[in-house]
Amino acid sequence: FLYFIVFSIQPTICSIKLSSRMPTEKQTAQHLKTDFEHGSGSWADKTYAFETLAVHAGVRPDPVTGAILTPIYQSTTFVQESIDKYCAKGYSYTRSANPTVAALEEKLAALEHGAAATVYATGMAATTTAISTFMSKGDHAIITNCSYGGTNRACRVFFDRMGMEFTFVGMDDEELAEVKAAIKPNTKLILSESPANPTCSLTDLEALSKICKANNIVHVCDNTFASAYICRPIDFGAEVVLISTTKFVDGHNMTVGGALVTSTKELSDKLRFTQNILGNNMSPQVAFYQLQTVKTMSLRVKRQSETAMIVAKFLESHPKVEKVCYPGLASHPQKKIADKQHANGNHGGMLWFEVRGGTEAGRKLMDTVVRPWSLCENLGATESIITCPSVMTHANMLTEDRLKVGITDGFVRVSCGIEDPEDLVAALKAALDNL
């Protein structure tokens, strides 16, 4: 199989393109790989469904053995035929590029309707790479005031000391008034999160993307809570999609990782240049695991969405529960946006609630609820998880900022897994009844 080299940004970062058989426009857009035009091993010139792309996008049978799974190229370096043909096969050193990692990047790009992707050691590695790429000293960014706690902390205590400026605003109002008011001549980046972690507030991504384009600002949207199965921010005008692949991509509490999917290859090239400098790329072993786990994303997320709706409705009906928030409920204040942006009536596995009696009662529930619930950090996994954000995921926010967006000390974040919904409800009922 013949390949030729395309250099971008600097010579040590190589991208490869199949030269023996050029794919069709549809196959390229869907990141489908094949060495055959007809018969077994070929792809039809059509648009394939999400479920098919989750299994097949970005990968091809191993050309040496025919193995159906992409091999783990656990190699630091790649032998070159000659100096003149340096990087002719696309790889020289795993920090810059690796075949297993590249396959996952192609798959995630396909699922998010992106042109290209880069994957990282963690979700925070992806976040900090995006900020490092699109921001410089003296630049300003607008960040949602309800984001993952690590994102908030990175902006406030890390990038701020490098001469960058950050404004945290609400992005859940219909007119996006706070966003518009915060824009400055030096604003280079807007980072949204929809649904937001952990409040499940939503942002009108299409409206926000239009504001960004009108002001020549890069729109990065964190799509971790939703997943590509439910929402594809690029379809609503976002230029970069941020994903903690630890969550619904992995979905099994096995690995940590992150990804940045872009609407254009040019944006991805800029991110890859920064990634190569920082050396925060994903390992081939983790990439291999996530190549397998992402195949079942649609099955898991659909089940998790169904279970979350059952759990949310139960909580709404229980007299000890003060408030429940889930984008699928009719009571969600932004249900109209949820129905617009979330595909096939699925609204994800994430919700939150508060119980009557305040912080003490909320923490008692989290300390006493029995299995199959697990009290821990993480979300999006097959196991159902209860989290206390004020102590765990959002403890690094300033207390006043955390309380301002509604994350109280008794706030209960729920990540629904794939267990039997009746078993999950029964465990919650027992804990609530004992408050």
Side-chain angles (χ1 to χ4, degrees), residues 26 121 126 199 259 322 382:
K26 285 184 179 179
T199 63
E322 181 76 37
T382 52

Side-chain angles (χ1 to χ4, degrees), residues 324-345:
V324 185
C325 186
Y326 178 62
L329 289 174
S331 59
H332 193 285
Q334 298 169 288
K335 185 62 164 60
K336 187 180 295 185
I337 294 178
D339 291 340
K340 172 187 174 183
Q341 293 180 176
H342 296 170
N344 304 315

Side-chain angles (χ1 to χ4, degrees), residues 44-61:
D45 189 23
K46 58 166 283 187
T47 299
Y48 287 90
F50 181 96
E51 291 82 354
T52 301
L53 295 179
V55 176
H56 295 287
V59 302
R60 60 157 63 85

Side-chain angles (χ1 to χ4, degrees), residues 172-186:
D172 56 353
D173 63 300
E174 190 172 341
E175 300 299 322
L176 294 169
E178 290 187 48
V179 174
K180 293 174 183 176
I183 294 175
K184 303 179 179 183
N186 61 334

Side-chain angles (χ1 to χ4, degrees), residues 20-37:
S20 58
R21 182 205 170 274
M22 297 302 294
T24 67
E25 185 175 337
K26 285 184 179 179
Q27 290 166 353
T28 298
Q30 296 175 95
H31 302 268
L32 293 169
K33 305 294 182 180
T34 181
D35 300 310
F36 305 96
E37 292 191 38

Side-chain angles (χ1 to χ4, degrees), residues 15-322:
S15 60
I16 57 173
K17 182 162 62 174
L18 191 68
S19 62
S20 58
R21 182 205 170 274
M22 297 302 294
T24 67
E25 185 175 337
K26 285 184 179 179
Q27 290 166 353
T28 298
Q30 296 175 95
H31 302 268
L32 293 169
K33 305 294 182 180
T34 181
D35 300 310
F36 305 96
E37 292 191 38
H38 307 288
S40 179
S42 64
W43 286 100
D45 189 23
K46 58 166 283 187
T47 299
Y48 287 90
F50 181 96
E51 291 82 354
T52 301
L53 295 179
V55 176
H56 295 287
V59 302
R60 60 157 63 85
D62 176 50
V64 177
T65 66
I68 198 167
L69 300 183
T70 301
I72 305 171
Y73 288 92
Q74 193 65 54
S75 181
T76 303
T77 192
F78 300 84
V79 176
Q80 308 298 311
E81 185 177 340
S82 69
I83 294 174
D84 288 341
K85 294 182 179 180
Y86 171 69
C87 217
K89 295 179 180 178
Y91 304 99
S92 63
Y93 193 72
T94 278
R95 173 167 56 83
S96 301
N98 177 280
T100 312
V101 174
L104 179 62
E105 290 173 337
E106 293 253 23
K107 188 181 292 291
L108 295 180
L111 296 182
E112 290 283 358
H113 284 177
T118 45
V119 294
Y120 300 83
T122 66
M124 280 308 302
T127 300
T128 54
T129 298
I131 296 171
S132 299
T133 299
F134 300 121
M135 297 276 289
S136 298
K137 181 180 180 180
D139 288 343
H140 172 252
I142 301 170
I143 313 294
T144 174
N145 63 3
C146 188
S147 66
Y148 171 58
T151 301
N152 180 286
R153 176 177 56 179
C155 296
R156 284 189 301 104
V157 305
F158 184 72
F159 288 108
D160 184 68
R161 62 185 172 86
M162 297 180 183
M164 301 176 190
E165 183 185 0
F166 298 90
T167 303
F168 299 89
V169 305
M171 297 186 181
D172 56 353
D173 63 300
E174 190 172 341
E175 300 299 322
L176 294 169
E178 290 187 48
V179 174
K180 293 174 183 176
I183 294 175
K184 303 179 179 183
N186 61 334
T187 303
K188 303 297 182 184
L189 172 71
I190 291 181
L191 196 157
S192 65
E193 190 171 306
S194 185
N197 181 2
T199 63
C200 293
S201 60
L202 305 175
T203 297
D204 187 330
L205 299 179
E206 185 175 19
L208 182 58
S209 295
K210 288 179 179 178
I211 292 172
C212 290
K213 285 180 170 59
N215 291 276
N216 197 28
I217 298 169
V218 176
H219 179 196
V220 177
C221 177
D222 189 331
N223 197 38
T224 299
F225 251 42
S227 83
Y229 181 65
I230 288 176
C231 180
R232 288 156 161 163
I234 288 174
D235 288 352
F236 295 97
E239 293 171 287
V240 183
V241 178
L242 167 64
I243 311 164
S244 172
T245 61
T246 309
K247 313 307 192 288
F248 289 102
V249 172
D250 173 305
H252 292 76
N253 284 316
M254 290 195 304
T255 64
V256 294
L260 293 166
V261 183
T262 58
S263 59
T264 68
K265 185 179 180 301
E266 289 73 24
L267 286 170
S268 192
D269 286 344
K270 292 179 180 180
L271 292 163
R272 193 174 296 281
F273 178 64
T274 304
Q275 180 188 48
N276 198 45
I277 292 172
L278 298 177
N280 55 12
N281 51 299
M282 182 182 286
S283 74
Q285 188 80 38
V286 169
F288 176 81
Y289 289 144
Q290 294 193 4
L291 277 168
Q292 314 321 317
T293 57
V294 74
K295 294 176 183 178
T296 60
M297 178 193 280
S298 61
L299 301 175
R300 289 184 280 108
V301 174
K302 187 174 186 298
R303 172 60 179 255
Q304 288 166 305
S305 297
E306 293 168 351
T307 296
M309 180 64 87
I310 293 170
V311 169
K313 287 183 175 180
F314 159 73
L315 291 170
E316 272 196 325
S317 70
H318 198 285
K320 295 284 183 71
V321 175
E322 181 76 37

